Amino acid sequence: MSLTTAILISLIPVTAAVVGCFAAAWYRPGPLISSAIQHFAAGVVFAAAAGEVLPELKHASSVWSIAIGGSIGIAVMLAIEDLGKRVNGPASITALVALDFLIDGLVLGLGFAGSTKVGVLLTVALTLEVLFLGLSLTLKLGQQKVTPIAIVATVAAVGMLLPVGTIAAGVVAKFSPVMLSGFFAFALVSLLYLVTEELLVEAHESGDAPWVTAMFFAGFLLLLVLDGLMG
């Protein structure tokens, strides 16, 4: 798939972020519904990480590149988590979410660098995740007394960093197989962090019930079924 096509597809998650922004302005789902959707999104992202990115690493040409790329991924994710605990104010919150969008775009672009199928499945997974990013940023900016029009404009502008990340991945895709393996390891760590430390943590804070927990496995199985249908 061409880089131009990958960039156009990356606009799908951006659209989801803006939709999440509008949704937050008009309707805020209850705790259990929010938790259920977050569990579902976590299952989809986890399936993408385990079923699509991990196999790319199993055929990697260098164990050391995987170790280095994964270690950098861990360091970056922990730094983002620490930054999230320290920041306050509209500008700081927006900058943190912007970094998240940029990394998501990089992960998506690396998926397309692996294969079209991997890229498409990651698009499905990240669209759900970015939907919540847009929703979360909207709610946080709303608490800071930012006007609705400014919130929508901010979410749309920040969302455009996702295609920027995809463009950066297009450059990375030209690197040697050894270096590319390191970036795939970084992508895998990023996705797993997203599931375990963001989506599921926030989901359990919102509320829990057996049917809510089952949504994680529903999302996981859905992506496996899509994977099978795509061959």
Side-chain angles (χ1 to χ4, degrees):
M1 178 178 290
S2 68
L3 178 60
T4 301
T5 303
I7 294 171
L8 290 175
I9 292 177
S10 73
L11 294 176
I12 295 175
V14 177
T15 303
V18 176
V19 169
C21 178
F22 276 107
W26 295 99
Y27 170 72
R28 184 174 182 178
L32 280 182
I33 297 298
S34 296
S35 181
I37 299 174
Q38 285 173 314
H39 272 87
F40 183 82
V44 172
V45 174
F46 185 77
E52 305 304 327
V53 180
L54 183 58
E56 294 288 337
L57 291 176
K58 291 174 66 176
H59 302 291
S61 57
S62 173
V63 174
W64 287 109
S65 66
I66 294 175
I68 294 172
S71 297
I72 294 174
I74 293 171
V76 170
M77 293 303 108
L78 292 178
I80 291 175
E81 181 178 12
D82 182 66
L83 183 61
K85 295 176 181 178
R86 297 172 182 270
V87 300
N88 49 62
S92 299
I93 294 171
T94 302
L96 189 62
V97 174
L99 180 59
D100 208 338
F101 270 99
L102 187 63
I103 292 175
D104 283 346
L106 179 64
V107 170
L108 181 60
L110 288 173
F112 280 111
S115 70
T116 299
K117 186 178 79 168
V118 173
V120 170
L121 292 175
L122 279 175
T123 300
V124 174
L126 292 177
T127 295
L128 291 172
E129 183 255 334
V130 166
L131 173 65
F132 276 97
L133 269 183
L135 178 61
S136 177
L137 181 58
T138 299
L139 295 176
K140 290 177 180 177
L141 291 179
Q143 294 171 357
Q144 300 290 332
K145 308 302 181 182
V146 180
T147 64
I149 294 177
I151 291 175
V152 173
T154 298
V155 171
V158 168
M160 293 309 296
L161 285 173
L162 199 147
V164 171
T166 302
I167 294 171
V171 176
V172 171
K174 299 177 181 179
F175 292 172
S176 67
V178 171
M179 294 186 66
L180 194 55
S181 297
F183 278 97
F184 271 111
F186 178 91
L188 179 62
V189 168
S190 299
L191 289 173
L192 292 178
Y193 174 87
L194 168 65
V195 172
T196 59
E197 296 298 323
E198 289 190 3
L199 289 173
L200 288 181
V201 169
E202 291 185 11
H204 286 292
E205 289 176 352
S206 300
D208 206 357
W211 71 271
V212 171
T213 302
M215 293 301 293
F216 173 87
F217 301 99
F220 185 87
L221 290 174
L222 173 64
L223 204 73
L224 291 184
V225 170
L226 290 176
D227 190 355
L229 292 175
M230 292 179 67

